[in-house]
Amino acid sequence: MRFFACGLVLACAFTGTAHAGHDPARQVLPAGDGWASAGPGTTGGSAATTVHEVRTRAELIAALAAPAPRIIKVRGVIDANTAPDGTPLRCTDYATGGYSLEGYLAAYDPATWGWQREPEGPLEEARKASAKKQEATIALNVGDDTTVIGVGEGAGINGGSLRIHGSRNVIVRNLTFRDTHDCFPRWDPTDTSPGASPGNWNSLYDSISIQRSEHVWVDRSTFTDAPNPDSRQPLHFGRPYQVHDGQLDITNGADLVTVSRNRFEEHGKTMLIGSSNTSTTDPGKLRVSVHHNVFRNVLERAPRVRFGQVHVYNNLYEGAQSYSWGVGVHSRIFAQNNYVKGIAAEKVVYNWGGTAITDRGNLLNGRPHSFVHAHNAANPDKQLATDAGWTPTLDRGLEPAHRIRHLKAGA
């Protein structure tokens, strides 16, 4: 017997038993499947007696605040940029304190402001206040012992930032994350990318942000900027007006994470593991497995790693990229049995201050290739050793790279 309950704001929920073998919402991470399976493993909200089915932002917010353990099933597409009553919100609805993009551009034009100082003053304060209003709406906070799963074709979240901050035992599956855009990017004339013109526009929100959390499994989801790709953004001050940050970032001491069978596409800053070169919280943490994902036409960070002990295996990389595996300070990447096609060999690895990367069993267009050797040949002043100093053991389902050529992944 099942008992149903519906409130005015809460989604319909039911109590009763479900068979773990038949309901994906009750599936747990299999033993041996990456770092998130270490120790007690990752079970999410599988023990929940109440299942929340949500179709709107208000229902999702209420379900996330319900007692744990919790299973939250997302049906259809939830637009995070909506008011509590369901009214759609545009960027102009968040603007406050006299902020306008036109005014901001006029105030901080390098022709008058210069290139040596970061923005400050009334327009910068108005931008910060406007950004806080948007953040209060689109930030979706996920607590302990939670499973958030899409049900039915096309289920997902538009414009939202799912935040797994300070939480344990979380599962996110079968969702499409679209266009997590920042309405109020910050101009920094002092932030210069190697080989690029001076200055950068920096945005704030990740589609999924994992911080200070452990035992997290992100599986079979799709991450895309469509229908608002970076290619449609204008240039301001000679630099791309970047409204997107990371698609899935794992930082600030997060640990024991498995990222599997997702699709990342048409994006710039894709996956960052590690907070900063001087972090005091990341050392000894950031144990992450990234496997059976498709990275298609992403520019960089697939992933970029600082400090982390990261197993990158059985992923498919397609399309032009600036780099895929970013070897940052104190990072220990073990890249194994990946399939790369349509990318120049020297563009796969880049040294961001690291010392070594293990590169084993990988294929380039169907042929064995050492990407670290290609990097070293192209960058004689940034040499990397070929042994990251560890051997993964939690690699359930490891396959030869040739089987990954036609990998299907995503929601």
Side-chain angles (χ1 to χ4, degrees):
M1 180 178 295
R2 293 179 179 177
F3 303 92
F4 292 83
C6 294
L8 294 178
V9 177
L10 285 172
C12 293
F14 67 84
T15 60
T17 60
H19 300 289
H22 299 288
D23 185 357
R26 294 192 183 271
Q27 290 178 358
V28 303
L29 179 65
D33 192 346
W35 275 115
S37 68
T42 302
T43 59
S46 59
T49 57
T50 299
V51 176
H52 306 268
E53 293 198 357
V54 302
R55 294 172 174 81
T56 67
R57 174 188 171 275
E59 292 176 348
L60 177 56
I61 293 292
L64 289 168
R70 58 181 78 80
I71 291 173
I72 301 172
K73 294 185 176 182
V74 176
R75 290 192 178 273
V77 177
I78 292 175
D79 186 352
N81 286 285
T82 56
D85 64 359
T87 302
L89 297 174
R90 300 170 297 175
C91 289
T92 52
D93 295 313
Y94 298 119
T96 189
Y99 176 88
S100 71
L101 178 58
E102 294 77 10
Y104 192 83
L105 293 174
Y108 304 113
D109 188 333
T112 54
W113 182 260
W115 295 94
Q116 306 304 316
R117 291 186 299 154
E118 297 181 13
E120 59 182 6
L123 263 297
E124 172 60 12
E125 293 306 311
R127 186 202 64 80
K128 290 179 181 178
S130 301
K132 286 183 178 179
K133 285 186 65 176
Q134 184 184 17
E135 182 177 16
T137 298
I138 71 170
L140 307 167
N141 298 309
V142 183
D144 297 350
D145 305 321
T146 302
T147 294
V148 184
I149 186 168
V151 178
E153 187 174 354
I157 299 172
N158 286 5
S161 180
L162 205 64
R163 297 192 170 179
I164 305 169
H165 290 182
S167 301
R168 300 169 60 95
N169 193 32
V170 174
I171 295 174
V172 179
R173 304 183 73 198
N174 300 343
L175 289 166
T176 295
F177 295 89
R178 298 180 182 87
D179 188 24
T180 303
H181 65 272
D182 186 343
C183 289
F184 309 99
R186 178 178 180 271
W187 168 245
D188 184 351
T190 70
D191 178 8
T192 300
S193 301
S197 301
N200 270 314
W201 290 95
N202 293 312
S203 52
L204 185 59
Y205 312 116
D206 306 320
S207 295
I208 296 182
S209 171
I210 304 173
Q211 300 183 16
R212 307 180 312 279
S213 298
E214 62 180 36
H215 288 288
V216 179
W217 180 29
V218 180
D219 179 61
R220 298 182 187 274
S221 292
T222 296
F223 298 80
T224 176
D225 294 340
N228 184 32
D230 289 344
S231 59
R232 292 188 182 180
Q233 304 305 320
L235 295 178
H236 292 309
F237 308 147
R239 298 294 293 144
Y241 187 64
Q242 180 56 264
V243 299
H244 300 112
D245 197 17
Q247 289 186 318
L248 197 170
D249 282 5
I250 304 164
T251 59
N252 293 91
D255 199 20
L256 302 175
V257 178
T258 295
V259 179
S260 59
R261 302 188 184 278
N262 303 285
R263 188 164 78 246
F264 302 89
E265 57 190 16
E266 307 292 341
H267 189 79
K269 303 172 183 178
T270 306
M271 184 186 302
L272 177 66
I273 300 175
S275 309
S276 72
N277 290 353
T278 58
S279 173
T280 59
T281 58
D282 288 346
K285 304 285 187 178
L286 301 172
R287 290 173 290 180
V288 181
S289 297
V290 180
H291 75 83
H292 290 90
N293 302 282
V294 173
F295 295 91
R296 182 171 291 123
N297 294 326
V298 300
L299 183 63
E300 60 183 358
R301 301 185 181 181
R304 177 179 175 179
V305 181
R306 301 180 178 101
F307 294 101
Q309 193 170 329
V310 180
H311 193 194
V312 180
Y313 67 95
N314 282 157
N315 300 288
L316 174 61
Y317 294 84
E318 298 180 310
Q321 302 186 5
S322 174
Y323 71 90
S324 299
W325 306 329
V327 185
V329 297
H330 301 292
S331 64
R332 290 183 289 167
I333 300 174
F334 195 108
Q336 182 178 19
N337 294 15
N338 298 284
Y339 195 103
V340 179
K341 57 183 177 181
I343 303 173
E346 66 274 14
K347 294 289 189 180
V348 176
V349 173
Y350 190 76
N351 185 356
W352 286 104
T355 58
I357 175 175
T358 301
D359 169 24
R360 182 178 300 173
N362 300 297
L363 298 181
L364 175 63
N365 299 323
R367 296 179 178 274
H369 205 88
S370 171
F371 296 111
V372 65
H373 288 159
H375 167 273
N376 288 345
N379 301 276
D381 59 335
K382 290 181 173 287
Q383 297 292 290
L384 287 165
T386 58
D387 185 356
W390 71 292
T391 300
T393 58
L394 299 170
D395 56 4
R396 172 191 173 105
L398 179 66
E399 303 177 74
H402 69 84
R403 295 185 181 176
I404 306 302
R405 180 178 181 180
H406 301 295
L407 180 67
K408 304 296 183 185

